[in-house]
Amino acid sequence: QVQLVESGGGSVQAGGSLRLSCAASRHTHNVFAMGWFRQIPSKGRERVAVIDTAGTTRYVESVQGRFTLSRNKANNTLDLQMSSLKSEDTAIYYCAADRSWSRLWELTTPTYWGQGTQVTVSS
């Protein structure tokens, strides 16, 4: 098992940047694939970016080139650097983890979730 706690959300104007961080309760980098999802009001939860145990990252097309995902092995954290933010990025962002890459990226049904952090981008 692993517990996940997100931090770093907030409000920013369009074009600005925010950095989200997810702290894991245990060693994760060669055990769990991890990633960020987001939920927009009235819509389902969608994947944003995922990193596997080898360090390979994948991004949803809408954030490609604007968001950067990184894993800090020493601190057991997963960071999402978000730049050139748009109003449509406004959502609750969730950190997630699973031993299976497939469940995280393809099925989008990871086993472990954080509690979420709000990101609001104003135009």
Side-chain angles (χ1 to χ4, degrees), residues 60-122:
V60 68
E61 186 176 352
S62 61
V63 308
Q64 187 80 38
R66 300 189 298 121
F67 291 11
T68 302
L69 185 65
S70 60
R71 192 198 291 253
N72 186 316
K73 299 176 184 178
N75 297 331
N76 291 325
T77 59
L78 181 74
D79 296 329
L80 183 69
Q81 178 66 45
M82 305 185 295
S83 302
S84 301
L85 283 162
K86 305 175 181 179
S87 57
E88 51 262 45
D89 295 317
T90 295
I92 300 173
Y93 283 71
Y94 296 88
C95 179
D98 201 284
R99 292 180 182 270
S100 166
W101 164 267
S102 176
R103 283 183 61 87
L104 198 65
W105 180 253
E106 297 174 356
L107 301 177
T108 65
T109 56
T111 302
Y112 305 103
W113 293 96
Q115 82 286 355
T117 185
Q118 177 71 47
V119 171
T120 303
V121 183
S122 58

Side-chain angles (χ1 to χ4, degrees), residues 25-72:
S25 61
R26 54 163 288 181
H27 174 75
T28 61
H29 85 272
N30 60 352
V31 179
F32 293 94
M34 297 186 70
W36 288 91
F37 289 68
R38 64 188 180 187
Q39 185 156 17
I40 300 170
S42 76
K43 294 186 179 181
R45 200 170 290 187
E46 66 171 5
R47 63 192 181 190
V48 175
V50 177
I51 186 167
D52 67 13
T53 54
T56 301
T57 55
R58 294 189 70 172
Y59 300 88
V60 68
E61 186 176 352
S62 61
V63 308
Q64 187 80 38
R66 300 189 298 121
F67 291 11
T68 302
L69 185 65
S70 60
R71 192 198 291 253
N72 186 316

